[in-house]
Structures are given as structure tokens and as C-alpha cells.
Amino acid sequence: MSFERIAPEQYDSIPEVPEPVEHAELFGHVGEADELARAYRTGKFHHALILSGPRGIGKATFAFRLAHHLLANPRPAEAPSTLVRPDPASTLFRLMAQGAHPSLLHLTRPAADRGAGFKSAVTVDEIRRVGRFLSMTSHDGGYRVVIVDAADDMNRNAANALLKSLEEPPPRTLFLLVVHSIGRMLPTIRSRCQLLKLKPLAGDDLLAALRAVSPGSEEVPDDLAAKASGSVREALLMTQFGGLDIANAVDAVVSGGRFDVAAAYRIADAVGGRDSTVQFRLFNEHVAGIAEARAQAAGQAGDAELAARLADQWSGVRQRIVDTDTYNLDKRQHVVGLLGQLCAAR
């Protein structure tokens, strides 16, 4: 039976794969989930949480599971001390999945003003919805939950607008900020939130999650598990959209002794076509990950000058990705240019 999506499509949706809000299961992160459940039960709950960690490890799923826990248990003292698995057939679960629950606001990149696709950032207009949302009275006196996914996709104006809401939060309000790269968050936002660092999934959890969201998935090869780095999203893209071959090809070009222009154009042909939207996105994510890893490695090695230079390159890579998407630039030239840039900086 084919998958039927009931949640609104997002900028990073994967065909035939449920959105995080549609997941009843949470794989990994058990200790962190139970700690928050106990904090809620005992009245020691922070009003804003940053869920930080690599892309695709279940941060958004974690956020929606925690939101479900609060909405299903409006009286904290009577709430379970663990996050109980929700019933996918329940009214609460389905309202959340459809984006129709009055006490839950999910903010992400909005649809583009013209044509198909989505904007390249979480905009200030999206964040302004928070004020209107919080001005309404909770329908049952319980919590209202705002999820920003991903918060490091906010532009500067949006981040400043969110900061105002975090500074004076109404009672019984929870902000959940899903963050892939904590370094991109304003320090003033970070200082007003409790930081929760979620780790990549272990092998067993990764395999279980992969099978849950993509029934029939075969055993994960060793090289895929390593390439996916504990990310279900990466594993899915690699197994279903040729992402492992793309990652291997990119790594071969970037780590080679010289810039192989012919190989770069072969990659560009594979990911730059009209019907290769997912492959192009995977290429961009992998290249950005390489640039980020280089900057972090230099910083950890204590080479401040190199770390600063590589951090600038990482920022440039991200901006180039945004510009290509925003202005609909030539994808093949984008691919070759990024690969040449990474090779020149090694």
C-alpha cells in the first residue's frame, strides 16, 4: 500500500517518507526525552529549548513528540514521567499532523511567492505569526507550543523578531527550536534557551528508524552507515536517490591531488537536471557538510587563522547555495564552481 501524506509538504520533504509530525516512534534520545518528561511533571520546565544536532537524527520528531506529550497532558502533575508513544489514530495526533491543532504552531520555510518550491529562509513574516498565535487563549488552559524548524534557517530580521517573543514569554508557553548548526544562532537567542544536544543515532537505532519510515529497507551496508553519520535522512537519500554514489563521487573529487574538471562535470550532469531536485539538494548538503567539518577540525586543532578562513568558506558555500536557489542560477555551473572552490582550499 502506498504512503498517504496527511501533513503539509515541507521544503525538505522526501517523496513517500512521512514528515516528522507523522512519526509515532522516536528512535534514540531516550534519556533526553525522559529527562524532559520528568521536568514537565515536576514543574521544572524551561520555556525555550534548543534541540541541536546533525540534520536527520530525529530532532524535529523529538520536538513533535514532546509537543504531543504536553498537549495530551495539560496538567503537568498528572503527566507520565516518560514520553508515551502516541496513537496515530487519535484526534490529537491527526490534528497535529495536519497542522490544525489550535495550540501548536509549526514554523518553517514558507512556500515561494511565485511558482513551485519554497523560500530559502524562515522569514520575518513567519515569525510574526507567533505574536498572533500567543495572543489567543489556550483552548483547554494547557500549554501552547511553537516549533521553529529549522531555527538556523531564520534570516536576521526573523531571528530578531523571535528574540522579542523569547524575552517575555507568556505563561505555559514552550518554544522548541530545531537547530542543525548552533553556531549560526544569535548568542542572545542561545542565552534565553536551554540547550539540548542530541547525538547521531547508533547503528541499531538508525536501522530501526530506516525500516520504520521506509518499509522493506534492506540491511544497511557498513559504508552507508558511516556515510550517513547516524542520520536517517542521509541514509534514506543515499539508498533511495543515489546519494551514496553522489557522496562518493564528490569525496573523490575533493580529496584528489588536483581538480578533476571532467569528474566535476559528470557530477553536475547527474545532479543538475530538471528531474534531479532531491539529488541536487543532497549534493548541496554534502558539500556544505564538508566545508563545515573542515572549519570545525581546524578549530579543534587550535589553528585559529585557518579555522577563520575555512569558516568564511563555509559561509560562502551556504550563501552560494542560497543564491542559486533564490535566483534560479545554472545548476551545473553551481556544482562545478563549488567543487572547484573546495579543491582550491584544501
Side-chain angles (χ1 to χ4, degrees):
M1 185 173 67
S2 61
F3 165 69
E4 180 183 356
R5 190 184 304 282
I6 63 173
E9 185 175 357
Q10 307 297 323
Y11 74 95
D12 58 352
S13 295
I14 301 176
E16 299 298 318
V17 174
E19 298 292 335
V21 70
E22 297 175 296
H23 293 319
E25 300 286 351
L26 177 66
F27 296 94
H29 319 308
V30 175
E32 294 87 349
D34 289 348
E35 180 181 348
L36 289 176
R38 289 191 295 270
Y40 177 65
R41 182 184 176 95
T42 57
K44 300 178 181 178
F45 210 51
H46 201 285
H47 76 279
L49 301 175
I50 289 179
L51 306 179
S52 175
R55 187 184 301 270
I57 63 171
K59 300 187 300 297
T61 302
F62 189 108
F64 283 112
R65 281 292 305 276
L66 183 58
H68 183 280
H69 184 78
L70 270 63
L71 299 179
N73 302 282
R75 297 179 179 83
E78 300 174 9
S81 57
T82 60
L83 295 193
V84 179
R85 182 184 185 276
D87 177 7
S90 69
T91 300
L92 171 57
F93 187 90
R94 294 189 66 84
L95 283 175
M96 289 180 60
Q98 294 166 354
H101 196 284
S103 294
L104 175 65
L105 179 63
H106 177 216
L107 302 178
T108 185
R109 296 186 194 179
D113 294 329
R114 298 178 181 177
F118 296 83
K119 293 185 177 181
S120 59
V122 179
T123 62
V124 66
D125 287 339
E126 284 295 291
I127 300 301
R128 284 173 180 157
R129 294 171 58 194
V130 174
R132 297 191 294 271
F133 172 71
L134 295 181
S135 68
M136 298 181 292
T137 303
S138 174
H139 75 290
D140 61 357
Y143 264 76
R144 289 167 296 179
V145 182
V146 178
I147 297 175
V148 185
D149 176 19
D152 44 336
D153 282 344
M154 291 187 295
N155 58 32
R156 174 69 65 166
N157 290 337
N160 287 329
L162 180 64
L163 179 60
K164 294 180 181 178
S165 295
L166 292 174
E167 287 174 337
E168 299 179 1
R172 300 178 72 79
T173 298
L174 174 63
F175 289 88
L176 293 171
L177 310 186
V178 176
V179 175
H180 306 314
S181 178
I182 190 64
R184 295 172 60 187
M185 297 298 296
L186 289 178
T188 46
I189 288 181
R190 292 171 59 178
S191 68
R192 286 163 175 79
C193 301
Q194 177 183 341
L195 176 61
L196 194 65
K197 294 182 179 180
L198 300 182
K199 298 178 181 179
L201 296 180
D204 291 343
D205 286 330
L206 177 66
L207 180 57
L210 186 60
R211 286 175 171 168
V213 300
S214 182
S217 295
E218 299 179 356
E219 197 74 20
V220 178
D222 290 340
D223 59 344
L224 174 62
K227 288 283 187 184
S229 302
S231 167
V232 180
R233 176 181 175 80
E234 290 299 307
L236 282 168
L237 290 172
M238 288 177 175
T239 55
Q240 296 187 10
F241 297 95
L244 184 59
D245 292 337
I246 294 170
N248 287 336
V250 169
D251 291 347
V253 170
V254 172
S255 62
R258 60 179 179 80
F259 180 39
D260 189 336
V261 178
Y265 271 103
R266 286 194 294 271
I267 296 173
D269 290 337
V271 306
R274 180 174 299 178
D275 299 325
S276 303
T277 301
V278 175
Q279 289 85 349
F280 184 69
R281 191 166 66 208
L282 178 59
F283 166 83
N284 283 330
E285 290 175 0
H286 189 67
V287 167
I290 291 174
E292 180 181 12
R294 285 179 172 180
Q296 290 178 342
Q300 292 169 357
D303 191 334
E305 182 178 351
L306 178 60
R309 181 164 59 84
L310 292 177
D312 287 341
Q313 184 194 57
W314 174 32
S315 178
V317 166
R318 293 201 315 268
Q319 189 59 51
R320 191 165 184 166
I321 292 170
V322 170
D323 289 346
T324 298
D325 181 54
T326 302
Y327 303 111
N328 196 26
L329 302 180
D330 186 275
K331 291 183 178 180
R332 294 176 76 253
Q333 292 302 320
H334 166 85
V335 169
V336 175
L338 274 187
L339 291 174
Q341 183 179 343
L342 287 181
C343 287
R346 65 184 170 217

